């Protein structure tokens, strides 16, 4: 059974393994910013203990305390329904020192939600503890069975509302956060929008339609995208559909994006870029990230148009960021925004115009 059909909800602790302050805790970051599926009661992170999770993330107080241990969190915040693995490691490997916390959670009868490729259900000692203490293991990235996978369908061409792909120039750059902000901005303006999740955090945040792209057999990625879009369109009758992007078109460690443009028939794109990032994955050996202008030309070759550029300002001063924003605005002739600093409300009119 696909993860999208599971009705998992309740109070939760996030396990960020001492890296809450790092981009590798992006699953925690997404859930701290907002989730309709879980009520985040606390974060377990010995490095940031004693602080508010929101303030660690982006300086915004959110009333989510950070504790040094699971025991302290239970004592002060009460026992939750779930502990969520809140890190996104390279290769999806469970950090060995996180396993002790997971075991403690299970011994306390707390179910564990894991979004990494390293499935907890493939660790016999973990399964044994879960069974012994009546806890559940939810491996979000567990691949669908062959019989559940969908092959591509021409029904995608019957979707009449605009489909907008939120693509990025690299991994961990803000695509999902931007897509969520866009959906929320549309709802605030009275515009009905749906978000198609394609990663574990999107599902954890409560998106209803989608699949886990990087654990799907390659032959069925296009079909799963089309199926999610078609299902959202038929069941929700939205005015807009946003597709959460993964990786980037030219990241050699996991190129991704053409599926959205072709199989998902996304004719509009919102592009996310971090100007201060020079190399894919911050790894010189992976190659330099190409220019935004060349990325837009490549997207145009697929028959899609970039309608806005979102800038991740990591490592930039306010002055530097504003100069870069002004430069791109003049060169590209499209809206350029800082989604984290200024939101995305000013883009709503552009989105409304797409329906006309």
């Amino acid at each position: 059974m696909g993860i999208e059909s599971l009705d998992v909800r309740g109070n939760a602790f996030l396990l960020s393994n001492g890296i809450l302050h790092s981009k590798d805790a992006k699953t925690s970051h997404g859930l701290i910013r907002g989730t309709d599926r879980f009520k985040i009661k606390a974060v377990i992170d010995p490095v940031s203990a004693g602080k508010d999770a929101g303030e660690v993330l982006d300086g915004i107080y959110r009333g989510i305390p950070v504790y040094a241990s699971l025991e302290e969190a239970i004592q002060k915040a009460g026992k939750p329904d779930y502990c969520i693995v809140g890190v996104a490691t390279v290769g999806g490997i469970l950090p060995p020192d996180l396993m002790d916390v997971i075991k403690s959670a299970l011994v306390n009868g707390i179910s564990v939600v894991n979004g990494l490729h390293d499935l907890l259900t493939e660790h016999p000692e973990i399964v044994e503890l879960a069974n012994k203490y009546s806890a559940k293991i939810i491996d979000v990235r567990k691949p669908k069975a062959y019989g559940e996978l969908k092959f591509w369908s021409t029904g995608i061409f019957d979707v009449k509302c605009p489909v907008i792909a939120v693509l990025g120039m690299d991994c961990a750059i803000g695509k999902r956060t931007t897509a969520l902000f866009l959906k929320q901005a549309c709802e605030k303006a009275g515009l009905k929008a749906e978000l198609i999740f394609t990663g574990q955090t999107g599902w954890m945040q409560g998106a209803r339609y989608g699949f886990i792209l990087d654990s799907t057999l390659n032959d069925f990625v296009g079909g799963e995208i089309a199926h999610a879009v078609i299902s959202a369109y038929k069941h929700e009758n939205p005015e807009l559909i946003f597709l959460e992007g993964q990786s980037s078109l030219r990241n050699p460690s996991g190129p991704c994006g053409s599926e959205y443009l072709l199989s998902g028939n996304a004719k509009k794109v919102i592009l996310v870029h971090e100007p201060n990032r020079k190399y894919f994955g911050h790894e010189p050996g992976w190659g330099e990230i190409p220019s935004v202008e060349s990325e837009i030309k490549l997207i145009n070759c697929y028959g899609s148009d970039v309608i806005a550029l979102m800038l991740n300002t990591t490592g930039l001063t306010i002055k530097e960021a504003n100069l870069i924003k002004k430069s791109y605005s003049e060169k590209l002739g499209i809206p350029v925004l800082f989604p984290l600093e200024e939101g995305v409300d000013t883009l709503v009119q552009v989105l409304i115009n797409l329906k006309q």
Side-chain angles (χ1 to χ4, degrees):
M1 181 168 60
I3 193 68
E4 70 275 9
S5 60
L6 288 183
D7 187 20
V8 176
R9 299 179 185 278
N11 294 331
F13 290 169
L14 297 174
L15 311 179
S16 57
N17 201 42
I19 59 169
L20 182 61
H21 59 285
S22 162
K23 68 179 181 63
D24 290 333
K26 66 177 185 177
T27 297
S28 290
H29 298 169
L31 296 174
I32 290 167
R33 287 195 171 102
T35 167
D36 295 327
R37 189 176 298 280
F38 300 104
K39 173 67 175 177
I40 306 302
K41 306 294 286 186
V43 179
I44 315 301
D45 189 286
V47 173
S48 297
K51 301 177 183 178
D52 177 81
E55 291 179 336
V56 174
L57 172 58
D58 53 19
I60 300 173
Y61 179 83
R62 290 181 171 85
I64 301 174
V66 183
Y67 297 110
S69 68
L70 177 63
E71 293 70 25
E72 181 187 7
I74 292 174
Q75 181 183 13
K76 294 181 177 178
K79 191 173 86 169
D81 302 299
Y82 301 95
C83 277
I84 301 172
V85 175
V87 299
T89 60
V90 175
I93 299 171
L94 272 162
D97 48 349
L98 193 56
M99 293 297 283
D100 289 338
V101 185
I102 291 171
K103 291 176 183 177
S104 294
L106 295 172
V107 168
N108 279 279
I110 303 169
S111 296
V112 177
V113 179
N114 170 39
L116 298 176
H117 287 298
D118 193 351
L119 304 180
L120 287 173
T121 47
E122 294 183 354
H123 292 261
E125 72 278 17
I126 295 295
V127 174
E128 183 179 347
L129 284 175
N131 291 335
K132 182 176 180 179
Y133 294 98
S134 300
K136 297 178 181 177
I137 298 172
I138 298 96
D139 277 323
V140 180
R141 263 189 168 127
K142 186 175 183 179
K144 284 185 180 181
Y146 166 74
E148 297 174 333
L149 292 165
K150 303 294 188 297
F151 196 69
W152 184 78
S153 165
T154 56
I156 191 68
F157 300 130
D158 296 326
V159 174
K160 301 306 179 185
C161 72
V163 178
I164 305 161
V166 181
L167 304 183
M169 298 290 291
D170 195 16
C171 299
I173 209 166
K175 298 181 287 292
R176 174 185 39 76
T177 297
T178 298
L180 180 62
F181 284 0
L182 288 164
K183 180 178 184 293
Q184 292 170 340
C186 287
E187 290 171 346
K188 187 167 67 173
L191 193 63
K192 189 174 183 182
E194 281 294 328
L195 171 59
I196 305 300
F197 74 86
T198 57
Q200 71 274 18
T201 309
W203 175 82
M204 292 178 188
Q205 288 180 309
R208 293 171 293 178
Y209 298 92
F211 69 109
I212 310 299
L213 188 147
D214 64 10
S215 61
T216 299
L217 281 172
N218 190 60
D219 270 3
F220 298 95
V221 168
E224 288 290 315
I225 288 177
H227 175 70
V229 172
I230 293 167
S231 298
Y233 181 69
K234 286 183 176 179
H235 297 149
E236 308 300 333
N237 192 31
E239 296 172 274
L240 295 169
I241 294 176
F242 295 106
L243 299 182
E244 174 202 1
Q246 296 293 329
S247 189
S248 71
L249 279 164
R250 290 185 273 184
N251 182 319
S253 73
C256 180
S258 60
E259 304 93 334
Y260 298 83
L261 307 178
L262 300 177
S263 304
N265 200 33
K267 294 303 181 186
K268 304 298 178 183
V269 172
I270 292 171
L271 189 60
V272 185
H273 176 51
E274 184 181 317
N276 204 39
R277 189 184 302 196
K278 185 175 182 180
Y279 302 105
F280 287 115
H282 298 286
E283 295 286 345
W286 291 11
E288 290 192 15
I289 295 173
S291 69
V292 169
E293 292 86 344
S294 72
E295 195 81 351
I296 290 175
K297 288 180 181 178
L298 178 57
I299 291 168
N300 292 160
C301 288
Y302 283 100
S304 300
D305 296 317
V306 175
I307 60 172
L309 178 67
M310 302 292 180
L311 295 180
N312 180 325
T313 62
T314 298
L316 298 173
T317 65
I318 294 175
K319 182 179 180 180
E320 289 170 337
N322 283 327
L323 286 173
I324 291 170
K325 178 181 179 180
K326 182 175 183 292
S327 175
Y328 276 126
S329 296
E330 293 173 350
K331 286 189 295 185
L332 302 178
I334 57 176
V336 181
L337 286 76
F338 302 141
L340 285 182
E341 292 82 1
E342 62 185 12
V344 297
D345 289 358
T346 57
L347 195 63
V348 170
Q349 189 56 53
V350 174
L351 299 173
I352 290 173
N353 293 341
L354 294 180
K355 304 191 305 168
Q356 300 171 357

